[in-house]
Amino acid sequence: MNPARYHREMAQRYRMEAGKCKKCGHVYFPPRLICRECQGREFETIVLSERGKLLSFTVIHTPASQFKDISPYALGILETKEGAKLTAQIVDMPADQIKTGMELQIEFRRVQTDGHEGVLAYGYKLVPVM
Amino acid sequence: MRDVAIIGVGLQKWGELWEKSFRNLFVEAALNALGETKVDKIDHMYIGCMSGGLFVGQEHIGSIMADYLGQRYLGATRVESACASGGAALRAGFIDVASGMSDIVLVGGVEKMTDVSGDGATYALATAADQEYEVYNGATFPGLYALMARAYMEKFGATRDQLSAVPVKNHDNGLLNPNAQYQMKISVNEVNNSVMVADPLRILDCSPITDGAAALILCPLEMAKKLSDKPAIKILGSAMATDTIALHDRRDFTSLDAVKVSSMAALKMAGKNVHDINVTEVHDCFSIAEIIVSESLGFFACGKGAEAAANGETRIDGKFPINPSGGLKSKGHPVGATGVAQAIEITYQLRGEAGKRQVKNAKVGMTQNMGGSGGSSVVHVMEVA
């Protein structure tokens, strides 16, 4: 992974920063330059809340090569109370206990490793609410 | 705007074609299409290809394909909209001829997918999703459609058997298509018990990795009789629509807005409604995709597509025949070629040349070609001129 490419997304992957449209209030994760809903161009940076509702999930058995060592793994779509939606792995719980509609917590975790000398790539995963 | 006709079509038998190169796959299909016509000069070529770069390390696809087709000094461009590249190429060719800029346009589609490993193909296909916000976190294409499948099954109470009815039907149709990659019958039980790929989708819910190409020749309708003895197929409507790149940003995971918008626009342009359509080829990259697309096109109400498939309503002799070719599932899915091959199947159907898989009295046909998890959709409506 190219370090510059990785660095560009750090505000989202490390701090869950989103953009809230100053005109219509729509929340974008990641932030954007123009609002899809109202074409507004001014945004306020907000931090997404740490919990959200699971909208759908799957368990992936044939992953891309960089995720082979953790396969099978669960992946879901979470909606935060700000209305932002994101795709992330669901960890620290057996797959048969995952249910659509459940509340999950967003946690900072290691997502990928790029060989022995490459970037350790971090980001967010979903875990049970403690 | 001029009326535009399809006057020649060509394919080859698709599959794992190790002995055939990227360029020769295309040339073979293009020569087959030209062979149905008396065309001696092509004005422009549009070639649908999702990822020559990642699959065979080749870009500049317009030029290499024109060169190996024995052409020089003509315009030739590659058109890309992920898995909807072929449909987008057809639309580009249609616009070129309709506008009066070109008279003879060759529309092609090609993908050479088996020179890379399974991992390589998974990686290349995943570039159609959001790299930083889906793929980075572990999403795969079967995974994205699995998220749609679970949402659909939980919302509408659709069953595993209903999902399986789609690949079973498409394999039954593919058995009747000599160009299909997988000409074998499968049962609901076999689909239900096949290897899990991304829960709830199993391997027999998924379209395969395929080498293949497809090509067709467009010209102004008024020139069609002079240039081909085949019945001219008039393109009545053409439309494309995008949606959010990431599945998680969609309004609803159980419908496909890009499909709705593109089909409504194409039907409006054609002056038809969905019940005028006698035969349809849709983008069944996964079983759930055909079900949701059949609803978003308007054949069935939301949540009723799975039941309709299980009741045989989309079979060749059903009320709304879908994918008589065998669809992506059985015919194969060489990504960039798929959209063009869909139009070729409709051409065969409207000409009455579809053999054992012929839909009776097919007068008006439709194609729906999808990019990614529904981030783009291209729809064409056509009829016998």
Side-chain angles (χ1 to χ4, degrees), chain A residues 5-6 9 12-13 56-62 65 67-68 73 75 85 87 89 100 111-112 121-122 124, chain B residues 119 131-133 135-140 143 146-147 150-151 154 196-199 244 247-250 253:
Chain A
R5 174 185 160 192
Y6 181 68
E9 312 299 329
Q12 283 66 54
R13 291 183 183 146
S56 188
F57 69 96
T58 178
V59 179
I60 293 184
H61 293 254
T62 51
S65 53
F67 296 108
K68 283 240 159 93
Y73 57 90
L75 185 88
K85 289 183 277 187
T87 300
Q89 288 173 31
T100 302
V111 177
Q112 299 181 27
Y122 291 88
Y124 44 86
Chain B
D119 282 355
Q131 276 298 320
E132 304 294 5
Y133 288 89
V135 180
Y136 178 88
N137 291 324
T140 59
L147 290 165
R150 182 178 308 277
E154 289 185 353
M196 190 66 88
V197 173
D199 188 29
T244 64
L247 175 67
H248 58 236
D249 277 331
R250 302 277 162 75
F253 307 141

Side-chain angles (χ1 to χ4, degrees), chain B residues 70-128:
Chain B
Q71 303 288 317
R72 258 180 302 191
Y73 315 131
L74 78 170
T77 39
R78 176 258 201 96
V79 179
E80 190 274 319
S81 185
C83 329
S85 298
L90 175 57
R91 181 165 156 73
F94 168 78
I95 292 167
D96 196 345
V97 176
S99 73
M101 284 288 285
S102 294
D103 284 336
I104 311 298
V105 163
L106 187 151
V107 173
V110 58
E111 215 74 61
K112 175 75 193 167
M113 302 174 74
T114 64
D115 278 359
V116 294
S117 63
D119 282 355
T122 300
Y123 174 79
L125 293 169
T127 60

Side-chain angles (χ1 to χ4, degrees), chain B residues 152 156-159 161-163 165-166 291 294-295 300-314:
Chain B
Y152 183 96
F156 298 117
T159 64
D161 282 5
Q162 289 173 341
L163 229 61
V166 172
I291 290 167
S294 72
E295 297 172 8
F300 309 110
C302 281
K304 298 290 181 197
E307 193 186 328
N311 290 341
E313 291 184 45
T314 57

Side-chain angles (χ1 to χ4, degrees), chain B residues 5-7 219-230 232:
Chain B
I6 298 172
I7 57 168
C219 78
L221 181 61
E222 62 191 23
M223 293 167 64
K225 270 212 167 63
K226 204 178 76 189
L227 291 172
S228 176
D229 298 329
K230 293 283 186 185

Side-chain angles (χ1 to χ4, degrees), chain B residues 188-273:
Chain B
V188 166
N189 210 23
E190 282 168 328
V191 182
N192 293 356
N193 293 301
S194 61
V195 171
M196 190 66 88
V197 173
D199 188 29
L201 298 182
R202 294 170 180 271
I203 190 81
L204 290 177
D205 286 298
C206 309
S207 55
I209 301 287
T210 310
D211 299 328
L216 55 82
I217 313 295
L218 301 177
C219 78
L221 181 61
E222 62 191 23
M223 293 167 64
K225 270 212 167 63
K226 204 178 76 189
L227 291 172
S228 176
D229 298 329
K230 293 283 186 185
I233 304 303
K234 182 181 168 187
I235 298 178
L236 300 174
S238 170
M240 178 168 183
T242 63
D243 200 349
T244 64
I245 183 79
L247 175 67
H248 58 236
D249 277 331
R250 302 277 162 75
R251 188 180 57 82
D252 176 11
F253 307 141
T254 64
S255 69
L256 287 157
D257 285 352
V259 177
K260 280 185 196 171
V261 174
S262 56
S263 66
M264 277 165 58
L267 286 165
K268 187 178 174 201
M269 181 176 173
K272 304 280 183 192
N273 77 60

